[in-house]
């Protein structure tokens, strides 16, 4: 997720990604990914009498629902890997001294790891494929918001969608919901990865202070959706597992 955010934020500054998107815009990425989502935002806004804020909310939720099966598959794979972590760490500890020096020991460790995965029916790559499918869609929607001219000419609630939030509320709400979302899944992160839980919200806040409010609105809605999804698919599942293990 951190890598995807870095890619998104760095891409904001390039001139090609700031040019308004139209049906005539050339390029496979623009024509087949960004423009269809821009068109969808406009059509939904017209349905809501020109409210582009409502359109961003509705389309964000619709995309999240569409991607939900992939997200659930990714979370299932993450939980499976989490359950295997003690055994994986035991194997790594077993080969700790020799694996970095002896290629044969490295091969033995990898072979034992693959045997462990196979015996538990776990595919370590199963969690990656859904992510690679989700990222292009979510990034395309990000650029669709950035490059749809009509959005910048409208307001929603107290803010201008084309300008940063004058009250600075949305960026901080986006940062807080990002932190909460990651906190709910922190049990699935190792100690090194948990630092992302503190870096990501700061990045979102800093970006939100300078980027159009439409993007902060998108982040907030997406985060709230993910918080609800994570609670029902991860947090409750972990509580049930904990209760079963205690009984």
């Amino acid at each position: 997720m951190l890598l995807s955010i870095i890619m998104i934020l760095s891409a904001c500054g390039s001139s090609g990604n700031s040019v308004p998107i139209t049906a005539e815009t050339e390029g496979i990425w623009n024509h087949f990914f960004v423009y269809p989502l821009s068109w969808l935002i406009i059509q939904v806004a017209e349905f809501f009498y020109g409210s582009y804020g409502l359109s961003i909310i509705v389309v964000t939720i619709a995309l999240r629902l569409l991607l939900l099966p992939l997200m659930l598959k990714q979370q299932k794979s993450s939980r499976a890997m989490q359950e295997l972590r003690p055994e994986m760490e035991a194997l790594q500890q077993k080969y700790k001294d020799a694996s970095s020096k002896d290629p044969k020991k490295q091969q033995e460790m990898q072979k034992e790891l693959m045997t462990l995965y196979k015996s538990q029916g776990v595919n370590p790559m199963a969690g990656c494929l859904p992510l690679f499918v989700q990222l292009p869609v979510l990034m395309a929607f990000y650029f669709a918001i950035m490059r749809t001219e009509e959005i910048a000419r409208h307001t929603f609630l107290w803010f201008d969608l084309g300008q940063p939030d004058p009250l600075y509320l949305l960026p901080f709400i986006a940062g807080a919901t990002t932190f909460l979302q990651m906190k709910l899944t922190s049990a699935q992160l190792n100690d090194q990865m948990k630092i992302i839980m503190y870096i990501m919200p700061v990045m979102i806040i800093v970006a939100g202070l300078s980027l159009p409010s439409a993007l902060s609105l998108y982040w907030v809605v997406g985060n709230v959706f993910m918080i609800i999804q994570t609670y029902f698919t991860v947090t409750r599942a972990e509580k049930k597992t904990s209760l079963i293990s205690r009984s």
Side-chain angles (χ1 to χ4, degrees), residues 81 84 87-89 91-92 94-95 105-126:
M81 292 296 291
L84 287 181
E87 296 177 65
M88 293 167 60
E89 290 177 348
L91 276 177
Q92 290 169 353
K94 175 182 175 181
Y95 291 95
K105 291 294 183 180
Q106 289 182 342
Q107 292 177 0
E108 289 178 14
M109 184 179 71
Q110 291 301 321
K111 188 175 181 180
E112 288 196 41
L113 278 173
M114 294 308 295
T115 301
L116 176 63
Y117 295 147
K118 188 175 181 180
S119 65
Q120 300 298 321
V122 173
N123 183 354
M125 297 302 294

Side-chain angles (χ1 to χ4, degrees), residues 56-75:
I56 290 172
I57 292 172
V58 170
V59 177
T60 299
I61 294 173
L63 284 179
R64 292 290 183 174
L65 288 172
L66 184 65
L67 295 171
L68 185 57
L70 290 173
M71 292 180 180
L72 293 177
K73 186 174 182 179
Q74 181 185 340
Q75 288 178 341

Side-chain angles (χ1 to χ4, degrees), residues 181-214:
Q181 174 202 335
M182 299 194 70
K183 184 71 174 176
L184 289 174
T185 58
S186 60
Q188 298 181 2
L189 302 175
N190 58 37
D191 293 337
Q192 290 78 14
M193 292 292 289
K194 284 183 179 179
I195 192 173
I196 297 177
M197 186 169 63
Y198 301 98
I199 295 177
M200 181 87 70
V202 175
M203 292 177 62
I204 291 293
I205 292 171
V206 171
L209 291 174
S210 58
L211 292 174
S213 297

Side-chain angles (χ1 to χ4, degrees), residues 57 60-61 64-65 68 71 75 170 172-182 184 216-232:
I57 292 172
T60 299
I61 294 173
R64 292 290 183 174
L65 288 172
L68 185 57
M71 292 180 180
Q75 288 178 341
L170 273 181
F172 283 96
I173 294 173
T177 51
T178 299
F179 177 80
L180 181 56
Q181 174 202 335
M182 299 194 70
L184 289 174
S216 294
L217 177 63
Y218 162 56
W219 284 332
V220 169
V221 176
N223 286 341
V224 171
F225 183 96
M226 288 298 297
I227 288 169
I228 296 172
Q229 173 195 317
T230 303
Y231 174 76
F232 284 103

Side-chain angles (χ1 to χ4, degrees), residues 233-244:
T233 62
V234 177
T235 307
R236 290 186 64 180
E238 289 176 351
K239 288 180 179 179
K240 288 182 180 179
T241 303
S242 178
L243 290 173
I244 292 172

